[in-house]
Structures are given as structure tokens and as C-alpha cells.
Amino acid sequence: MADGAAPVLDVQGLQTVFRTRGGEVHAVNSVSFHLNSGELLGVVGESGSGKSVTMMSLIGLLPSPPADVRAGTVMLGNRDLLKISADDLRDVRGAKVGFVFQNPMTSLNPVFMVGNQIMEPLIRHMGLTRKQAAVRAAELLSMVGIPDAKARLNAYPHQFSGGMRQRVMIAIALACDPDVLIADEPTTALDVTIQAQILELIKDLRQKLGMAIVWITHDLGVIAGIADRVMVMYGGQVVEQAPVRELFANPQHPYTRALLKTIPSLTGEREERLQVIEGQPPILAGPPTSCPFQARCAHAFDRCRTENPQRRAIDDSPVGRGHDVACHWTPETAHA
Ligand SMILES: Nc1ncnc2c1ncn2[C@@H]1O[C@H](COP(=O)(O)OP(=O)(O)O)[C@@H](O)[C@H]1O
Ligand SMILES: [Mg+2]
């Protein structure tokens, strides 16, 4: 896509708060990002950094209460998903935005044959007859690499292996030819060989179908092989964002640098190279008043403790388009 063309998805200033008995949890704090058509955006960050809550906020999947999507705009084409009716949002979820989550056993209904579960969105959103939907469902199953697809339509979820169930979820997510696919740690629960197969499948489908993808993972190693661009999240914020090669070659945020060190080396010295970032991510009871990473950061100085850094461009492109980082530290401050 040419630079400057309208993105398929454009999120600005998203804020999501949970109201709990212990008070408010500010899980997503002013998150902004965009997704160009056909691109694969990797979203990384350790557990609890706000990746899932961000994506679920976009498409109205969080129960409210306790969740409160308090601010922001989520433009899909020319519609703001935070402003449309619940019915319209359900249509968007079925037809425009597909999603695949970590555990396919909780997403598939155990009491219905998988064929019916793939046919349902085709009948509801695409207006196909049952007969047409059955034909299309078999095509979809075969497209995601399930052998003997027609016969397998009559099988139940428990009759599939974990990897095959995840393929079924992908078939459902892609049934209505969505503009955007959101994949939230879709391979995390699978063993390594199956993970690699699912990754290959997604790469292949992306080539064939050309949808834009948001791929969430806590593993930067996975991102390296598939993403065009990467967004790093920490403490409910975007702390850095860049094209994938740029991010690996020129990481700016101390958290991104630490994450990169956790990737096992390709030369085999796994044990030695694997570093764990010490400490815990913060749970924010209010809007952040300091850098969320400062307590774990080797570079933190006074300003980091009193002022949450805004995202600033690293190159001369606007924030969010090229490479940007939310960090007070620069080579200049280091010598100040
Ligand atoms: N139902 C909930 N009630 C309160 N806090 C929640 C709830 N769901 C998620 N959170 C909080 O939101 C934060 C972000 O969670 P999440 O988006 O699931 O992280 P990630 O997907 O990056 O692992 C976490 O601190 C988590 O404790
Ligand atoms: Mg998650």
C-alpha cells in the first residue's frame, strides 16, 4: 500500500478501564495504532501488558461491567466501531473482522458439529442457503489444510486435535472474507511443530486472500518471521513501533531491547543467551503519572518517575507511521 493511503483500521487514544472491587484497573492507556491494508502487524509484550484487552475493546468483546471503554476512536473504513449499535458491531465481527484466540476449545461450541459452526456466519452474514453454506464450509476446511474436508464437516470439536481445531477456528474467522484478522496468541497452546504449521498456513492464506492481520504474541521470535511492522506494548501502552527490520536493527526502548535479548540465539547457545527481564509489569490504579517501565529500567532518571513519556518519532515521519518510541532516554539525556 502506498504511503499516506487510508489504513483499514485506525485506532486513536483508546482507553479501557476495569471497575473492580479493589478499585479501577487502567488496562489500556491511550493506545493508538493503525493497520494498512494487506499488512501484518505484530503486537508483542509480556503477559498483562494489555494486548488482549486492546483488541477485545476494538470489537466490543469485553463484558461491561466490569470493562469500560472510556475514550478513543476505532475507525474501520469510515465507521467508528465505538459509536455503532450492538447489532452493527455483531455484523462487523462476523463479516469484516475475524478473530482467532489462544484456546480453540473454548471458542468452538462442543455440542455442535464443526460444519454447522462454519456455516453459521455464512448463512447469517453472507445470505447463503444451507446447501451453499455447506459447500463453502467444505472449501474453507480444505483451504486451511484439513484432509477429507467434506466428511469432517460432521465431526465434533473433540474429534479434532489441538492444531486441527485451531485450523477450524481460522476457517470460521475467514469464512466471510474479512478485511482484518485478529489473531491473539493463536499458537501459544500448541506444540512447536504444530505452531510452525499454523504459522505457515497463515502466511500462505495471507498471500492468497490479502487480508490485513494483527498478530499478538509474547514471542518476538515468531514476529521476526512474519510481521511487516511491530508494535511493542508495556503497562497498557504502546512503548515502541517500527517496521520489523528497523525494530530488530535499531531498538530504542529499554523494554524492547530487553525483549530482544530473550529470543534464543539461532546459533544454539540457548541457555546462555536466554535472558529474563527481572520484575513484574505494573497494575495501574489510575492514569499513568510515570513511565510504566521505570521501576525495571536500568536507564531510568528523575523525569521517568514523574512524567509518562509521549511517543516521539525516531525518524522524520509522523508518530505511528515510521519508527516511534515512548521513552525519555536519549543519548543526549544520558550525558546530561
Ligand atoms: N476482567 C478483568 N478485571 C480486571 N482487570 C483485568 C480484567 N481483564 C484483564 N485485566 C487486566 O488488564 C491488564 C491487561 O490484560 P491483557 O490485555 O489480558 O494482557 P495481555 O493480553 O497483554 O497478556 C492486566 O493487568 C489484567 O490484570
Ligand atoms: Mg492476552
Side-chain angles (χ1 to χ4, degrees), residues 87-111:
D87 278 352
D88 286 347
L89 197 56
R90 207 166 301 127
D91 278 342
V92 164
R93 281 200 300 267
K96 301 276 183 210
V97 180
F99 41 89
V100 182
F101 293 113
Q102 188 170 329
N103 187 345
M105 209 53 194
T106 57
S107 321
L108 286 170
N109 190 327
V111 304

Side-chain angles (χ1 to χ4, degrees), residues 47-48 50-53 102 184-185 216:
S47 182
K51 306 181 298 295
S52 297
V53 173
Q102 188 170 329
D184 190 351
E185 312 224 22
I216 302 174

Side-chain angles (χ1 to χ4, degrees), residues 227-270:
D228 299 308
R229 211 149 47 80
V230 183
M231 167 167 115
V232 182
M233 290 192 67
Y234 187 85
Q237 295 177 205
V238 177
V239 297
E240 185 161 8
Q241 183 271 138
V244 64
R245 277 164 182 266
E246 165 71 10
L247 190 92
F248 277 74
N250 191 22
Q252 297 289 313
H253 201 285
Y255 178 64
T256 309
R257 294 184 196 200
L259 266 186
L260 283 167
K261 288 194 188 130
T262 65
I263 301 178
S265 92
L266 300 173
T267 53
E269 302 135 70
R270 260 173 183 256

